[in-house]
Amino acid sequence: MSHPILSEFDIVFAGGGTTACVVAGRLAAYDPSLKILILEAGQHTLNKPIHVQPYQYPFNQAPTSTTVTFHVGNPSPRLNGRAPIVPSGRCVGGASCVNFMAYTRAPASDYDDWAVKGWESEKLIPLMKKLETYEMQPDRPTHGFDGPIKVSSGGCKLGIADEFIQVGTTYHKRQYADDTDDLETCNTYSPWQKYIDGTTGRRSDAAHHYVYNQAHNPNLHIWDGKRVKRIIFQDKRAVGVEFASDPVSCPDADQSSSIVRASKLVVISAGVFGSPTILERSGIGAEAILKRCGIEQLVKLPGVGENYQDHNLVFVPYLAADEAVTMDALWRGDSILQESLAEWNSNGKSLIAQNGLDSKIKWRPDDEELKAMDPAFQPRWKEFFQDRPDKAVAIFCVFAGHVQPLSKPLVLPPRKYMCTGYYTLYPVSVGSVHMNVTEDGKEEMDFTTGFLDDPSDIVPLNFGYKKTRELLRRMASYRGEVAVGHPDFPEGSAAACRETSGPVDLYAPDIVYTTEDDEAIDRFHRDIMQTTWHSLGTCAMKPEADQGVVDARLNVYGVSNLKVADMSISPLNVGTNTYSTALLIGERAAMIIAEELGITCI
């Protein structure tokens, strides 16, 4: 069957998420004569309020949202039979246009652990600096001050965050630091900066700051609503991309396929779910997967779709004082919204330029906390964390407002809330992402998250519930727990949830949990623990013999003129919200491609 060939470009990007925007934007700026095409299944994000107004980020996760794709994992006995849902960005700019805008960076050692030539931290730090404008403390050696991505504290301060830090530095006996994203500082309470422009109050995403700002370049093209089917090869050289109108973005469009040719390079940048499945549809992958899907094998590459990793997150809601400043009224659309929008439109300030998340700790347990944790965590602590003081076990934080958990949305009465978030950064469990074909020939995804498969992974979550509850109980804005969002403790338990008129004393005794209480917490986490939207690893940059998919220069093994550039190349987990790593991969990929094309990087 022949497909119409629309035109030829120098470089075609299969997917238009965060990393694609960085690479395409940089290359277009380095050499404006390059003909570049980005194919993106989702829609444009240019100046759309849901993407540029920071407070709107939760609306992208609503069940009816078309700005993300909701991937449903296989049911798991470790999750009490639940089928976990993992969203990924589905729009120009990808996750950078829908994420929580939390500015976090991994310890430098994470990149050294990759042990990949050219990706050592000393080579990457200049790129980390190049990509950002850090609007906080000046003259910090690992931060950048004139890059495209703006980092600030947002449009207004939240007192709830100060309370969290105050309790953390007294009751929790940890230090304070004004910057825990200097690539090494760990285990201290700190403010949490945001990917928000401190001047305009807008989200700082890859679409607006790498590609939309180059609208004057007639050679940089973005075709939205186009779903990539497969890569076209001549022999084993990638020469083009087959795509069709996306049925979600363009439900009334003709669904027949077209082909666009690439004279220099094809870059797959469709994310952790899209990139491995595009490779499989193109005949690159494990023999058994391709065979069951009826796809002729071009290259046997068993690592495709393996090594899926994420962080494990739990949200737990609490009641907040009436006088507390929270995001709840804005998220409900109450009358204060119009007032806040007017201020934001005039000066970029107000709660519109907020995500409700102003403080955190990259937490490592002390000796006392380690003793209180289930022994199942001890081997993992000794093997991985003990002698790596820059690596946190989890991030603990507090939201000023109620954030809906993906796995158990709650309908709560209108009032003010706080919410703890705690998520582990280096869980052991891994999963996989593959394509599958049903008996009636329909394509679907075979997705195994692996969440909590390793018995050590749930231990820091169980401890995190107890520790964050103790922190919140001591905060001035605390007014009790929202019982439906907590473990179902047995009747008469000292841990039973209740509404109160205020916090307990700073040095009041901790809640004592019984074995039955601990079982309730464990059950609760298996029922509710979710993705942190930090998926990675399914086209790993590792040796081919070690289930790798791409080499150090992002070339797919066994073919030519084909690279992968997105979070799927990350060979190991990274101790950070992954937007910073996706941007970094984009900057490094742009350098690699520019070098190979003989273009000077500015």
Side-chain angles (χ1 to χ4, degrees), residues 148-258:
I149 299 296
K150 309 294 191 294
V151 178
S152 76
S153 57
C156 62
K157 268 184 76 71
L158 296 167
I160 279 174
D162 293 335
E163 294 173 24
F164 186 70
I165 290 172
Q166 192 241 330
V167 175
T169 52
T170 50
Y171 160 77
H172 198 198
K173 301 188 180 99
R174 296 301 200 274
Q175 298 295 309
Y176 171 84
D178 57 18
D179 179 18
T180 52
D181 291 301
D182 59 358
L183 314 180
E184 60 179 353
T185 301
C186 190
N187 215 17
T188 61
Y189 282 84
S190 70
W192 203 342
Q193 315 309 345
K194 302 158 187 56
Y195 287 105
I196 294 174
D197 187 318
T199 304
T200 65
R202 288 165 61 111
R203 174 192 285 273
S204 203
D205 62 84
H208 288 83
H209 295 282
Y210 282 92
V211 292
Y212 286 145
N213 59 346
Q214 296 192 68
H216 56 277
N217 183 340
N219 290 320
L220 177 57
H221 300 264
I222 305 168
W223 294 355
D224 68 330
K226 306 298 182 209
R227 181 176 181 270
V228 171
K229 291 191 163 182
R230 65 188 178 104
I231 309 305
I232 304 297
F233 292 93
Q234 279 179 355
D235 297 321
K236 289 188 177 177
R237 175 188 168 92
V239 295
V241 175
E242 182 184 335
F243 67 93
S245 291
D246 181 78
V248 176
S249 297
C250 311
D252 301 324
D254 180 3
Q255 300 296 311
S256 59
S257 292
S258 302

Side-chain angles (χ1 to χ4, degrees), residues 11 33 39 60 84 206 231 248 256 279 308 338 495 516 518:
I11 304 174
S33 72
L39 295 167
N60 290 289
I231 309 305
V248 176
S256 59
L279 285 172
Y308 173 84
Q338 294 312 313
E516 290 76 19
D518 286 343

Side-chain angles (χ1 to χ4, degrees), residues 84-95:
I85 296 166
V86 179
S88 63
R90 181 200 166 79
C91 53
V92 176

Side-chain angles (χ1 to χ4, degrees), residues 267-268 275 279 539 549-550 554 556 562-566 568-569:
V267 181
I268 300 179
S275 292
L279 285 172
C539 295
V549 176
V550 299
L554 305 179
V556 176
L562 182 64
K563 294 183 188 286
V564 178
D566 54 36
S568 73
I569 68 145

Side-chain angles (χ1 to χ4, degrees), residues 54 57-58 61 95-103 193-196 203 313 315 331 354-357 399 403-404 530 532-534 577 579:
Y57 72 92
Q61 306 296 331
S96 78
C97 292
V98 300
N99 65 20
F100 283 40
M101 297 158 290
Y103 175 77
Q193 315 309 345
K194 302 158 187 56
Y195 287 105
I196 294 174
R203 174 192 285 273
L313 168 68
F315 290 131
W331 289 340
Q354 253 292 358
N355 59 1
L357 198 54
F399 285 85
V403 181
Q404 286 285 10
Q530 65 167 66
T532 317
W533 300 274
H534 296 167
N577 295 57
Y579 181 25

Side-chain angles (χ1 to χ4, degrees), residues 417 420 463-464 573:
Y417 297 94
T420 57
F463 184 83
N573 219 324

